[in-house]
Amino acid sequence: MSDILTHTDAGVMTITFNRLDKKNSITVAMYAAMADAVARAGSDPSVRVVLFQGHESIFSAGNDIGDFLNQPPSTQDSPVFRFLRGIATFEKPLLAAVAGPAVGIGTTLLFHCDLVYAGDNAAFSMPFVNLGLCPEAASSLLAPRMFGYHRAAEALLMGEPFFAEAAQEVGLVNRVVPPTEVNGYAQAQARKLAAKPLTSLIATKRLMKGDTQAVLQKMDEEGQSFGRMLREPAAKEAFGAFMEKRKPDFSKL
């Protein structure tokens, strides 16, 4: 799976989006590779920290629309749901280095990370409503918790990008650095964590996060709504407009 690279060194598993020609948009095969990598990291005692990273120009454009429409998630065992449950229940520290656009899942996966570092060119967006869909990855629960209701409503109802400084202000990002430095900075922070006692890291994360049942329940609820809405007229119009490179028209829906 050359579109997802995994490398483990000094206790840090780095998972890299490596599909730059397609703006690191994520396919079903990529979700499967990431789900498998997260599962391996959870069970491998030599892995103490996991770090997600992209390129200095882009983190991820979200789902690959063509691939997504051809292979929509149909069951809870679909790769995307395996990946989401994997990061939601991951016991060890989970980090992300984000530069450039982080669209859809590129932003929502960050709610499950413990530390997030951003380039000053980072642009976060959750444009689900604009696609005739609803939030995923438990973002309808976690965004209001982190941002406060009104800021979360702006991000999720408007679906417009917000940038690194704003992301740091609402607590999604820990630190903002130049884009060329973000992966290296995050890697250094990950190695600091990997040198600490793993039992202490796991216990501290568990105590801070508390019961994950509400998160998993919200993921299931979102997944059911998402699947239903994907078959409805608004989503068909939105995706049709995207593929035809035109502005969608929701006025009659």
Side-chain angles (χ1 to χ4, degrees):
M1 168 46 65
S2 60
D3 292 340
I4 295 291
L5 303 179
T6 60
H7 175 71
T8 301
D9 184 52
V12 178
M13 176 186 281
T14 303
I15 300 175
T16 304
F17 296 114
N18 187 48
R19 199 180 180 222
L20 198 54
D21 60 321
K22 298 295 184 180
K23 300 181 179 180
N24 287 342
S25 58
I26 305 174
T27 63
V28 171
M30 291 167 71
Y31 277 120
M34 290 193 295
D36 291 345
V38 169
R40 288 197 310 274
S43 61
D44 185 345
S46 71
V47 175
R48 304 165 80 86
V49 180
V50 168
L51 168 65
F52 288 99
Q53 66 179 24
H55 186 264
E56 63 188 50
S57 64
I58 188 162
F59 184 63
S60 174
N63 284 325
D64 180 299
I65 298 299
D67 182 81
F68 179 74
L69 293 176
N70 286 331
Q71 302 181 78
S74 56
T75 71
Q76 288 300 311
D77 292 326
S78 298
V80 61
F81 292 129
R82 286 201 299 117
F83 171 67
L84 293 179
R85 288 195 301 272
I87 59 175
T89 59
F90 194 68
E91 294 181 328
K92 302 173 186 179
L94 196 59
L95 280 65
V98 182
V103 181
I105 186 67
T107 290
T108 59
L109 77 84
L110 305 177
F111 290 113
H112 303 280
C113 292
D114 303 297
L115 298 170
V116 177
Y117 301 102
D120 57 24
N121 65 340
F124 307 88
S125 61
M126 298 179 283
F128 306 111
V129 166
N130 301 338
L131 294 171
L133 298 171
C134 67
E136 34 89 301
S139 56
S140 61
L141 172 69
L142 299 175
R145 276 187 186 176
M146 181 178 288
F147 296 0
Y149 179 83
H150 289 97
R151 288 183 177 183
E154 184 173 47
L156 287 168
L157 295 177
M158 299 300 293
E160 296 172 349
F162 56 99
F163 302 97
E165 185 177 337
Q168 186 176 26
E169 183 182 347
V170 296
L172 184 63
V173 164
N174 292 88
R175 187 179 293 256
V176 178
V177 300
T180 54
E181 298 177 15
V182 67
N183 286 358
Y185 185 86
Q187 190 71 229
Q189 295 297 94
R191 290 182 179 228
K192 286 182 187 178
L193 285 173
K196 299 181 186 296
L198 183 58
T199 54
S200 295
L201 293 172
I202 290 174
T204 302
K205 176 171 176 172
R206 174 178 54 79
L207 290 165
M208 286 194 298
K209 293 182 76 72
D211 188 5
T212 59
Q213 193 55 46
V215 172
L216 295 174
Q217 184 176 341
K218 184 61 69 172
M219 280 186 177
D220 288 344
E221 184 182 347
E222 289 172 345
Q224 291 173 17
S225 295
F226 196 102
R228 184 189 72 250
M229 296 178 76
L230 191 59
R231 300 187 295 270
E232 293 178 349
K236 290 181 179 179
E237 167 61 17
F239 285 112
F242 179 88
M243 301 303 285
E244 296 164 13
K245 298 182 179 180
R246 61 175 174 83
K247 186 176 180 179
D249 180 7
F250 301 118
S251 62
K252 298 178 182 178
L253 302 178

